[in-house]
Amino acid sequence: MNTAAPPRATAREWLGLAVLALPTIVIALSMTVLNLAVPYLSAALQPTGAQLLWIIDIYGFLIAGLLITMGTIGDRFGRRKVMLWGAAAFGAASVTAAFSVNVEMLIGARALMGVAGATLMPSTMSLIRTMFADPRQRTVAISVWISSFTAGAALGPVIGGALLEHFWWGSVFLLAPPVALLLVVLGPVLLPEYRSPEPGGLDLPSVVVLLASTLSVVYGLKKIAVDGFAGVPLAALVAGLVLGLLFVLRQRKLSAPLLDLRLFGDRAFSTSLGTLTLVVFAMSGTNFFVGQYLQMVVGLSPFKAGLVVVPGAVANIVSTMLTPVLARRIPPVRLMAGGLVLAAAGLTVLTQAEPDSGFGLVVAGAVVMSLGFGPTLSLGNDVIIGSAPADKAGAASAISETGTDMGTALGIAVMGSIGTAVYRGDIKDGIPAGVPTDAASAAQDTVGAAMAAAAELPSRLGGALADAAGSAFTHALRTAATISSCLVLLLSVAAAVILRKVRTGGEGEDGEPSGGEGEGDGGVRSAAAAGATEPDD
């Protein structure tokens, strides 16, 4: 006997989704606009090199370290309540950052923005689970949510560049307060509240250990990307992994753990999480070189380089929004695997880059790659949220976001280290005769240092050094794109095999998917393809 069909969302829920999209856009904007403002705030506040790193990194560090904690707090004490308090704090911290009069004030404001931002991401996605009980509607909602984040990341450099042309550096932080105010006003009207019926307590030692573990791992990976496998980054990485093991052991002993490890026992959940993490690894590892290639080799300004990546972002939004429609006609596992093959083709386009290719090849590769990644980003998050129990949706979404952060940090660290080794090997043999020792030493550090050194040399010699650095860095980009392409192809095969018999929604009581499709129809049953129902939450 089948359960009753879940209720379909009304206009109120869809308006609520628009409200949930707002903080997603702002968080993505806040992650990208600061890089453009660095020269301006450096001139105004004159931070040291170490202080500048804290200004840039503390926001992302605290978001990564607190996502799981804040997701669990939302599950236990109210997702809407946590999100609204977080939105208010994020807006206040953004105003403080905008009008900071010294470095310490700005670092403190950025830290508070990170803590507040950690409440927003898991709350928004878990509320989607609460608001959209119908599986197909939920996939559309998740696609909108992902598209909002993509739009914010793409618009960050464009909007930030426009603001910095007309206003002071702090103006980039003033995008958030109006959105936060709107969320605080409309949230109680349009968004439902949800909390676990059996919340349990909050284990503070687990919070501290998890925060320390995540911060150590992310810090270690970021430093490895810059300094290579040196002593301090490796020590931080090992310490973070040891703390992570201690955290896991503690969770197993607690009756009300901060993180329910049973979530990872679900094959749909764990496979989708792993696939998403590795997809982000490939994307971030390649994009790390694409941005520098556009500016250092092609010679675009940061603003123009930001405009070049917009077509790829638009392609990703289109692909993500089409995924729920396509998933009704194509079995989701085939859609994900086919999309990953297409993404690998886009990465292969980037392997053809040359110093004189211009930005057209990058646009073409990014568009194809983004079209391919859309189904995995949409369906993967859908599977993660749909396979977790309703009272664990906040923790599940936080795990997904943490996986994304780890994939980003790991991709930049690993690909950055490999690409740096390729660059240094090429430039060492390619430095023209007659280049002074100090300029040659700088050129072997980074492509940015090479271009700066070349600008100080006589035009002919400087041009030769710039050409050598551009050729070496382009080789590094091609290497990263090749590795990413091979990885994504392997992921397409792994997803097709592992998820073939996994169903996450829409199954009848006899184990067959509602609507009558069998295993031969493609395996994984995401919410988008589920023709009927799940048990009531």
Side-chain angles (χ1 to χ4, degrees), residues 27 31 57-71 73 82-91 93-94 107-123 207 211 215:
I27 288 174
M31 289 180 173
D57 289 337
I58 191 65
Y59 175 75
F61 279 2
L62 287 175
I63 284 184
L66 291 171
L67 276 169
I68 291 176
T69 297
M70 293 304 183
I73 289 175
V82 169
M83 184 182 67
L84 294 181
W85 278 104
F90 194 91
S94 298
I107 292 174
R110 289 280 290 172
L112 181 56
M113 288 174 66
V115 175
T119 69
L120 298 176
M121 297 301 287
S123 295
V207 173
L211 177 62
L215 292 181

Side-chain angles (χ1 to χ4, degrees), residues 43-119:
L45 302 181
Q46 298 183 341
T48 64
Q51 287 174 328
L52 185 60
L53 287 176
W54 277 110
I55 292 170
I56 295 171
D57 289 337
I58 191 65
Y59 175 75
F61 279 2
L62 287 175
I63 284 184
L66 291 171
L67 276 169
I68 291 176
T69 297
M70 293 304 183
T72 302
I73 289 175
D75 285 341
R76 295 181 179 181
F77 303 109
R79 295 169 186 165
R80 186 182 68 184
K81 179 188 299 183
V82 169
M83 184 182 67
L84 294 181
W85 278 104
F90 194 91
S94 298
V95 172
T96 303
F99 295 100
S100 293
V101 296
N102 55 51
V103 173
E104 293 77 13
M105 185 177 177
L106 180 56
I107 292 174
R110 289 280 290 172
L112 181 56
M113 288 174 66
V115 175
T119 69

Side-chain angles (χ1 to χ4, degrees), residues 404-424:
T404 298
D405 286 345
M406 289 298 180
T408 300
L410 193 61
I412 292 174
V414 174
M415 294 294 195
S417 297
I418 294 172
T420 298
V422 171
Y423 169 79
R424 289 175 177 171

Side-chain angles (χ1 to χ4, degrees), residues 240-293:
L241 294 174
V242 171
L243 288 170
L245 177 60
L246 294 175
F247 173 79
V248 169
L249 294 175
R250 182 172 180 82
Q251 301 315 292
R252 289 180 172 178
K253 297 178 181 178
L254 295 175
S255 58
L258 180 67
L259 177 61
D260 190 346
L261 300 178
R262 291 175 296 180
L263 288 171
F264 296 95
D266 186 294
R267 190 178 5 152
F269 179 93
S270 55
T271 301
S272 297
L273 177 64
T275 300
L276 282 174
T277 300
L278 291 175
V279 161
V280 173
F281 171 95
M283 291 173 63
S284 61
T286 303
N287 289 337
F288 176 73
F289 291 95
V290 168
Q292 295 180 76
Y293 170 81

Side-chain angles (χ1 to χ4, degrees), residues 123-202:
S123 295
T124 53
M125 190 186 285
S126 57
L127 279 172
I128 287 174
R129 169 68 186 271
T130 304
M131 295 161 60
F132 296 90
D134 180 79
R136 287 183 175 177
Q137 289 187 321
R138 185 169 67 234
T139 301
V140 174
I142 289 176
S143 296
V144 171
W145 183 87
I146 294 171
S147 297
S148 299
F149 193 88
T150 304
L155 290 173
V158 178
I159 295 176
L163 287 172
L164 290 169
E165 285 186 5
H166 299 92
F167 304 101
W168 87 112
W169 62 266
S171 62
V172 299
F173 293 109
L174 294 182
L175 296 169
V179 175
L181 179 61
L182 196 62
L183 181 59
V184 170
V185 172
L186 296 180
V189 179
L190 296 174
L191 301 177
E193 182 59 285
Y194 180 90
R195 62 176 62 86
S196 173
E198 298 178 1
L202 185 66

